Amino acid sequence: MKVLKFGGTSVGSVESMSSVKHIVESCREPVIVVVSALGGITDKLIGTAKIAVEGGNAYEHGFREIVDRHIAMIHGAVDSHKRDELLSLVEPLLDELGNIFKGVSLIKDLSVKTLDTIVSYGERLSSLIVSRVIDGAEHYDSRRFIKTQMQCGKHIVDFEETNRLVKAGFNPLPRIAVVPGFIASDKSNGDVTNLGRGGSDYTAAILATALDASQLEIWTDVDGFMTADPRVINTAYVIERLSFVEAMELCNFGAKVIYPPTIYPVFHKNIPIFIKNTFNPSAPGTLISEDNSHAEGKAIKGISSINDTCLITLSGMGMVGVIGINSRIFNRLAKSGISVFLVSQASSENNTTFAVRNADAELAVKVLREEFRHDMAVGEISAIEAEKDLATVAIVGENMKHTPGIAGKLFNVLGRNGINVIACAQGASETNISFVIALGSLRKALNVIHDSFFLSESQVLNLFVVGVGTVGKDLLQQISKQQQRLLETKALQLRLVGIANSRKCLFDREGIDVEHCQELLDRSEMVASPEKIKDEIIKMNIFNSVFVDCTASPDIAALYKTLLDHNVSVVASNKIAASGSYDSYRELKQTARKRDVKYLFETNVGAGLPIINTINNLINSGDKILKIEAVVSGTLNYIFNVVGADVPLSRAVRMAQEAGYSEPDPRIDLCGQDVVRKLVILAREAGYRVEQSDVKKKLFIPDDYFKGSLADFWKAIPQYDTEFEQYRRQVADRGKVLRFVATLDHGDVEVGLREIDSVHPFFHLEGSNNVILLTTERYREYPMVIKGYGAGAEVTAAGVFADIIGIANIR
C-alpha cells in the first residue's frame, strides 16, 4: 500500500484532474489519495470570510465564485452518470458554507473556530469531487480519524489516538481511498481544526506512517527538489536523491516543495518519499530516503533561503557566565508562540542573536523587554534590538562533514562578491551552514554560491566568434594556446561552436577545432549574413553561450538585443552598439541585466586596458566620476609621437596605417570620430546620459581634407604638412607636446588637440599608448591614472579574451 498526495494545482483544472485519475488508476497496489483544496480556493474562502465579517452582502460575489468553481469542475471532470449523486452531496455543503458566511455577516464576528470551519470546506469539497473522478474510489472524512489537542495555542496531532483510529478506519483496506488533507478535529470536543500550512502533506505522512505504507508520493507542480530556487537561478536543476536529514534542512530553510513536519513521521519508519510532478509524471522526481550510499560526489546538495528574516540581538556584559539567560529567552518566546529558526551566540556570551519572521519581531522584542526588565534596569543587559529586511540562506548536504574547507569556500566567495554576512550558524552534524545577509544581497548570494558549488567537473562556455580579421585571428590563436591550461587549472572549457566572417559561417554544437577553424571555415558552404548568424545561434539554443563580435559592422551590432533576449552573453570589441543612441545602449544593458547574462565591451576603449571595468568598480562601490581626461586614440598618439622635422604629418599617418594602429581608412581616426565614440562610452559608463552629437570637436585637420575618396585624401594631405609643422614647432619651442584629448567634465564632453606641458601625465606618452585620468569624489586631489598599450590587434584580442573569461566568474 502507498499514499499519494495531490496538491491544489494538481486538482485545480479539468486537465490536471485527468492526470490525477490516470496516475491513481495505474497503481496496482492499494492507494490512499490525500487531496488539497482546488488551487486558489483556500485563499478565496479566507478572503470571502474577511469580507463577510464587515457586514452587508459584499461577500456574496466571492461565495458565488466558490460555488461556480466547484460546479464547473464537477461538470468538466466527472462522468455524467456520477454527477447527480455527487451534486446531491456537494450542494448541501455549499448551502452550509453560504449560511456560515451569512451568519458571519450578521454577527460581524469571525472567530478562529469559525474560520477553521470555513477553510475546511475547500478540502471537503475537493476530495468529494476527486473521489467521483477516480473509478472505484471510496471517500473518507479525515476529521473522523485525525485528532488534535491544543498545546501552546496550537492544534497538535495526538498520534496515539490518531494512529488507533486510522488503523481501525482503514480495516479492511480499500483498493482506492480518497481523503481530504489539512483538516482534522479536536480530540475533546470534535470541533473542526486544521494542521496548518502544508497540512495536506502532513495528513499524507500521518496516514502512511500509521498504515506502514511502502512509500509516500507527493504530487505537486514541480519536478522535485531543486538545487536552488529556479526563479532566481535559471541553471538550477532537480536533485535526484536526498536523505531525510538533507530534505528536512532544505524544507526548514525555505524550500517549499513539501511541508517540513511531513518528514518526521515517515522518517521514523524509513518510508521513502517521492516528489513527483503531476504535469510531468515521466520525470524521475526526487527520492527522499534514509539510504545515503548515493551521496558520493558533490558536498552540497542544495541551497535554500528565507527572505523574511529579522535578527534580534540581546547584548550586555552582564550576560557573561550567567546560567539560564538563553533558557529565559527561548522559554518566553515559546510561550508567546514565536518560532526561532536560527541562533548565533558569541563565545564570550556577551550577546545572543536569533532569527524570527519579520511579523514576529515586534512581539518578540516586547516580551523579551518585559522578561529582562530588571536586568536592563541594572545595566546587565544593555540592549534588545531588532534588525529587519534580512534574508537567511542555508547550504545543505550530508557530504559536507567529509569535505574540509566548505565553510571557507563559502565565506570566501561571499566576501569576494561584496556580500556581508551578518550572522551565521553551523551545527556539529555539519549538514547545514546557515547565514544571514541583507535582503538586497539575496539574489546575488544565491547566484555566486550556486556557481561555486554546483558546476560540473568543468564549466563550459560555448563561443560564437564573428570576425576573423586581425583581432579575431589573434583571439582564436590565444584561445587555442590557453584552452588546455584553463581546463586543467580553472576547470573552464572554452568550446568554439560557431565562427563567421563576412562571407561564410560554420556551426557545430559538438565543438570546432580552434587550431584549424580558419581552414574549416574556408571549406564551409554556409553563406554568412547577420540574419543567418542570428538564426543559427538561436536555433542551437546551447547553454552558457557567448557571442564574440570582433567586427566593426553595424549590422552585427544590431544583433545584440535579440541575442541577449535569448540568454546569449555578448562580448564586443565593436564600438558601434555602445556608442550609438543612448536609448539603445541603455536597452542592451537592461536586457543583459534582466536576462542575467553579460554584455561586456572593455576593449571599446583602450584595447586591453581595464578602463571600463575600473569605472564600473568605482561607481558600484559608491564613488562618483567627476572628470575624465583621456588620450584614447593609439593611432593619434602614435602620429603625434613620430611626427617631427624629419617625419611630416602625412608620413606619420601612413606609418600608423602600416603599423596596423589606424583604421583601414585613417580619416576615421583623424576626424576624431573614433575618439568621440570612446568618450561617449566612457561618459555613459560613468553615469552620464550623452549622445555623440553632444561632443564638441576641436580638430587639427581642416574639413576640406576629408572630402572625396580615400585616394583623394592621400593625394591632398601632404599639402598640409608645412602648416602643421610650423604649429608643432611653436608648441615644441614652448616646451610642450601635442595630444588629442577626450574630456568629460561634470557632464560636458569635448575632444580636441591640446598643448601638454612637461608636468602633465600626458606628456611622457610613448608610441600608441593610451592614458586616462579619473577624477572622482575619492580621487579628487590625485586623479587615478591608467596607462598602457591602447592599440594593436594582440592587446585588443587579449582584452576580448579577458571579457570572455569574465563571463565564467573564475579567478
Side-chain angles (χ1 to χ4, degrees), residues 40 44 47 104 188 202 204 372 470 523 530 560 719 775:
K44 177 61 70 173
V104 169
S188 59
Y202 198 18
F372 293 95
T470 54
R523 293 201 299 265
Y560 297 173
Q719 301 171 18
T775 302

Side-chain angles (χ1 to χ4, degrees), residues 172-452:
L173 192 67
R175 167 74 179 85
I176 301 173
V178 176
V179 177
F182 180 68
I183 61 175
S185 62
D186 188 275
K187 173 184 176 180
S188 59
N189 57 29
D191 287 344
V192 175
T193 60
N194 65 64
L195 303 180
R197 183 176 63 86
S200 293
D201 290 352
Y202 198 18
T203 300
I206 292 167
L207 296 176
T209 303
L211 298 172
D212 294 316
S214 61
Q215 66 188 48
L216 167 61
E217 295 180 6
I218 305 293
W219 290 83
T220 180
D221 57 355
V222 295
D223 285 344
F225 272 88
M226 306 287 285
T227 53
D229 187 342
R231 295 170 299 181
V232 178
I233 302 174
N234 56 20
T235 56
Y237 54 85
V238 175
I239 306 169
E240 292 186 2
R241 302 190 70 168
L242 288 169
S243 69
F244 285 118
V245 173
E246 290 169 336
M248 177 62 69
E249 295 285 6
L250 288 171
C251 289
N252 279 331
F253 281 86
K256 297 180 174 61
V257 180
I258 58 175
Y259 181 51
T262 303
I263 300 173
Y264 297 139
V266 295
F267 164 70
H268 293 294
K269 287 197 172 182
N270 194 22
I271 299 171
I273 305 173
F274 281 89
I275 309 298
K276 302 281 284 183
N277 190 343
T278 311
F279 306 95
N280 185 21
S282 62
T286 298
L287 170 64
I288 304 170
S289 67
E290 188 177 54
D291 177 23
N292 202 33
S293 60
H294 61 279
E296 299 128 8
K298 296 181 177 67
I300 308 302
K301 285 292 187 68
I303 311 169
S304 195
S305 62
I306 300 172
N307 61 5
D308 175 20
T309 298
C310 174
L311 277 184
I312 297 178
T313 301
L314 279 76
S315 57
M317 297 304 293
M319 296 173 61
V320 178
V322 177
I323 297 174
I325 291 289
N326 286 343
S327 174
R328 292 171 63 189
I329 293 172
F330 298 115
N331 279 335
R332 187 59 188 266
L333 292 173
K335 290 178 181 178
S336 302
I338 298 170
S339 175
V340 173
F341 54 83
L342 179 143
V343 179
S344 178
Q345 183 174 28
S347 58
S348 63
E349 299 183 36
N350 68 356
N351 69 71
T352 296
T353 298
F354 56 90
V356 300
R357 302 281 180 175
N358 283 308
D360 293 329
E362 290 185 13
L363 177 59
V365 171
K366 178 182 177 182
V367 299
L368 289 176
R369 284 177 176 167
E370 291 173 355
E371 174 70 26
F372 293 95
R373 181 173 59 252
H374 174 72
D375 307 75
M376 295 180 73
V378 297
E380 293 180 352
I381 292 181
S382 57
I384 301 176
E385 299 175 336
E387 184 178 359
K388 294 185 178 181
D389 296 325
L390 304 175
T392 304
V393 180
I395 62 170
V396 173
E398 289 209 76
N399 259 9
M400 288 198 294
K401 67 182 72 173
H402 307 302
T403 309
I406 291 293
K409 181 177 180 181
L410 169 67
F411 294 119
N412 180 56
V413 73
L414 292 171
R416 195 169 66 223
N417 286 273
I419 299 168
N420 183 45
V421 175
I422 302 169
C424 63
Q426 180 179 13
S429 66
E430 298 184 62
T431 58
N432 179 328
I433 301 176
S434 307
F435 57 93
V436 179
I437 58 175
L439 181 59
S441 298
L442 177 59
R443 176 176 291 272
K444 186 176 183 182
L446 294 177
N447 275 278
V448 298
I449 296 169
H450 197 271
D451 282 346
S452 299

Side-chain angles (χ1 to χ4, degrees), residues 577-636:
S579 63
S581 76
Y582 180 85
D583 289 340
S584 296
Y585 155 84
R586 195 65 189 160
E587 184 179 30
L588 291 176
K589 300 273 282 190
Q590 290 175 340
T591 302
R593 189 175 299 113
K594 176 183 177 183
R595 293 293 183 180
D596 198 21
V597 292
K598 294 185 179 179
Y599 170 41
L600 303 178
F601 44 89
E602 181 66 73
T603 55
N604 279 194
V605 183
L609 293 177
I611 299 173
I612 292 174
N613 197 37
T614 300
I615 289 174
N616 287 331
N617 287 340
L618 289 170
I619 293 174
N620 292 339
S621 65
D623 206 348
K624 181 178 181 180
I625 308 296
L626 304 176
K627 185 177 182 180
I628 296 176
E629 297 174 276
V631 175
V632 286
S633 171
T635 304
L636 295 179

Side-chain angles (χ1 to χ4, degrees), residues 531 534-535 537-538 556-568 570 587-588 591 595:
E531 193 71 16
K534 177 197 68 177
D535 290 345
I537 293 173
I538 293 173
I556 296 298
L559 302 179
Y560 297 173
K561 174 65 166 62
T562 302
L563 294 174
L564 292 170
D565 270 330
H566 284 82
N567 294 92
V568 178
V570 174
E587 184 179 30
L588 291 176
T591 302
R595 293 293 183 180

Side-chain angles (χ1 to χ4, degrees), residues 667-711:
R667 293 178 296 179
I668 296 174
D669 297 296
L670 296 172
C671 75
Q673 183 61 38
D674 184 59
V675 178
V676 168
R677 287 176 178 170
K678 293 175 178 177
L679 177 58
V680 166
I681 294 169
L682 291 178
R684 290 172 176 176
E685 290 297 291
Y688 296 91
R689 184 184 181 102
V690 172
E691 303 284 1
Q692 289 190 36
S693 58
D694 297 328
V695 181
K696 299 174 184 176
K697 298 180 184 178
K698 296 181 179 179
L699 304 181
F700 60 96
I701 295 179
D703 290 341
D704 290 344
Y705 289 92
F706 297 107
K707 297 176 181 178
S709 66
L710 179 59

